[in-house]
Amino acid sequence: MHAFQRQDSPQTLAQGIAEYFAVNPRLAQGRLMSAEAQEFFRCHDVAHVVFGCDVALDDEAAVKIASILGTTAGLRVLEGYRLHESLQIYRQLLVPDVLRSIARSVVVVPRTAFRCLAQRARWPWAEHQEYMRRPLCELRLTFGIKVAHWQANES
């Protein structure tokens, strides 16, 4: 588990984002894509960090649900998943990986939905620049966010 995925991570949001890209070097920041896709993935990658998700397919499912139910974007976030650049990513997925993810998502999706509905406030999907220097543990406490792999016996 990476530091940004811990519920009580003392990293700032900016440090968490830096770690996220460092441990996922295949994700290219500023990759060649439309301005609309760049903005979507900027917000999507921040959601990965705030909700403590890696890039495994079941974590991607958690991010999608968290983005819809736990951020200010709501259902508008689905527009980003229909972009050409998003569809290119889907085309690279392997059937066995998708099937395994579906099996795990039976638990992940309802748990994520329940946690998002219990948040104190929705995470600002696009307007999060003011939070970059704040610790993740503080942000999660403020918004009532439980990370994807949080267990009841944790903080």
Side-chain angles (χ1 to χ4, degrees), residues 3 5 7 9 15 45 48 52 56 59-60 65 72 75-76 90 92 98 113 122 125 127-128 138-139 142 148 152 155:
Q5 292 179 278
Q7 181 70 30
S9 176
Q15 290 168 329
D45 291 337
H48 268 272
D59 276 19
E60 289 290 348
I65 298 302
T72 56
L75 290 173
R76 288 177 303 135
Y90 294 141
Q92 296 174 13
V98 172
R122 287 180 167 223
W125 173 254
E127 304 82 22
H128 49 258
E138 180 184 307
L139 294 174
T142 300
S155 61

Side-chain angles (χ1 to χ4, degrees), residues 115-122 140-146:
R115 288 177 178 175
C116 289
L117 294 172
Q119 284 179 215
R120 288 183 209 38
R122 287 180 167 223
R140 291 168 178 155
L141 184 62
T142 300
F143 288 88
I145 294 171
K146 298 284 186 221

Side-chain angles (χ1 to χ4, degrees), residues 4-153:
F4 73 86
Q5 292 179 278
R6 291 194 342 258
Q7 181 70 30
D8 61 350
S9 176
Q11 291 178 311
T12 64
L13 177 56
Q15 290 168 329
I17 293 167
E19 180 189 25
Y20 171 77
F21 283 110
V23 299
N24 297 297
R26 290 179 50 211
L27 299 177
Q29 286 180 291
R31 49 194 154 199
L32 297 174
M33 61 177 90
S34 68
E36 187 179 15
Q38 285 182 25
E39 176 64 7
F40 170 74
F41 282 107
R42 178 185 74 85
C43 300
H44 175 80
D45 291 337
V46 169
H48 268 272
V49 173
V50 170
F51 290 96
C53 296
D54 200 2
V55 296
L57 285 180
D58 50 322
D59 276 19
E60 289 290 348
V63 168
K64 187 177 282 189
I65 298 302
S67 296
I68 294 167
L69 298 176
T71 76
T72 56
L75 290 173
R76 288 177 303 135
V77 78
L78 295 175
E79 295 168 11
Y81 290 103
R82 286 185 246 171
L83 295 170
H84 169 72
E85 293 87 348
S86 296
L87 297 175
Q88 282 181 316
I89 293 168
Y90 294 141
R91 288 185 193 107
Q92 296 174 13
L93 300 176
L94 302 174
V95 172
D97 295 336
V98 172
L99 294 175
R100 271 192 297 279
S101 176
I102 290 169
R104 286 188 228 137
S105 295
V106 171
V107 172
V108 171
V109 169
R111 181 180 66 197
T112 302
F114 177 76
R115 288 177 178 175
C116 289
L117 294 172
Q119 284 179 215
R120 288 183 209 38
R122 287 180 167 223
W123 173 254
W125 173 254
E127 304 82 22
H128 49 258
Q129 193 60 34
E130 68 183 272
Y131 299 106
M132 296 302 276
R133 294 185 179 181
R134 291 186 50 196
L136 287 169
C137 57
E138 180 184 307
L139 294 174
R140 291 168 178 155
L141 184 62
T142 300
F143 288 88
I145 294 171
K146 298 284 186 221
V147 297
H149 301 286
W150 179 84
Q151 301 297 318
N153 59 352

